Amino acid sequence: MIRAIVADDHPVVRLGLRLAMQKAADMRVVAEADTAEALLAAVKDTPCDVVVTDFSMPGGNRGDGLGLLGTLVRTAPDTPVVLVTVLDFPDVLRAVLALGIHGLCNKTDPLEQVVEAVRVVVAGGTYISAGLQDVLQDTPSPSTATSLLTVREAEVLRLLGEGLTGNEIAARLNRSPKTISRQKSDVMAKLGLEGDAALAAFLRAHHLG
């Protein structure tokens, strides 16, 4: 029996994942978490065979994104992880894979694909859903709006889309407010945006806010 820990800050997503795994005869959910802090505590306290987690989980005081995944890999190096996300920045997804995450699914994928990803990574393989394979194969070019952003800039853009202030992003990513302010300015310059109103419109247009 595959024992899974499921983490997402949206209850309906956790419910869907739990029901999909309950339908599978070979797996069950042994713990759930809605913040990075709760996920790391669950991994520490609950024996499991796999972690299925979102990339972005606001709340708690342990941050999320690449910082969370890196901590998770260091904390439980023998426990495979399936990331279920709406993230579509190629460089960030490559950074996720470089951390040692072997399962990538999009939240728009059928839940059966997440179940299959769990089976594959527990068996020692790598599973990347078709849609995210297409994203990873994108060749950065000036015509792709976010392709010019660095991994750190993309994380700042994502958190701006969540409505966080510069100080809140600095605390979440363990960077100085001055650094975050500079990275925000760099993001806006690369995207050709002038002013916060233009940034907000961009975030809405790209479903980031």
Side-chain angles (χ1 to χ4, degrees):
M1 182 70 68
I2 298 173
R3 301 163 299 175
I5 293 177
V6 171
D8 196 289
D9 60 307
H10 295 98
V12 68
V13 175
R14 296 199 307 275
L15 174 62
L17 290 169
R18 186 191 329 128
L19 292 176
M21 292 183 187
Q22 285 176 350
K23 286 177 61 178
D26 57 342
M27 62 186 68
R28 62 188 177 94
V29 175
V30 294
E32 296 184 26
D34 59 359
T35 66
E37 186 176 39
L39 172 57
L40 294 173
V43 169
K44 179 181 178 182
D45 298 335
T46 308
C48 70
D49 302 299
V50 65
V51 170
V52 180
T53 183
D54 191 6
F55 187 81
S56 173
M57 288 189 292
N61 57 16
R62 296 296 293 267
D64 65 353
L66 293 174
L68 164 64
L69 296 176
T71 301
L72 190 59
V73 169
R74 292 192 298 272
T75 302
D78 297 324
T79 302
V81 175
V82 174
L83 181 67
V84 184
T85 181
V86 295
L87 192 68
D88 64 354
F89 295 133
D91 286 344
V92 177
L93 290 173
R94 293 184 187 106
V96 167
L97 293 172
L99 286 172
I101 306 303
H102 297 299
L104 291 179
C105 292
N106 194 295
K107 283 190 175 181
T108 61
D109 293 331
L111 289 172
E112 291 77 12
Q113 289 193 26
V114 179
V115 170
E116 181 61 22
V118 167
R119 293 191 179 109
V120 169
V121 300
V122 169
T126 296
Y127 185 101
I128 302 173
S129 67
L132 292 185
Q133 286 184 37
D134 291 341
V135 172
L136 286 166
Q137 289 170 0
D138 282 348
T139 301
S141 68
S143 62
T144 304
T146 58
S147 67
L148 299 178
L149 302 183
T150 67
V151 170
R152 288 175 175 264
E153 290 167 350
E155 284 229 282
V156 170
L157 181 64
R158 174 179 64 85
L159 294 174
L160 287 169
E162 291 182 9
L164 272 66
T165 66
N167 286 339
E168 289 169 337
I169 294 173
R172 177 81 69 86
L173 299 179
N174 195 28
R175 302 176 199 165
S176 72
K178 183 178 180 179
T179 296
I180 297 302
S181 178
R182 185 186 72 249
Q183 290 173 332
K184 176 184 175 182
S185 296
D186 290 344
V187 166
M188 294 177 68
K190 288 181 178 181
L191 298 179
L193 303 173
E194 295 185 9
D196 288 343
L199 175 60
F202 177 89
L203 292 169
R204 288 193 300 271
H206 289 78
H207 308 292
L208 296 171

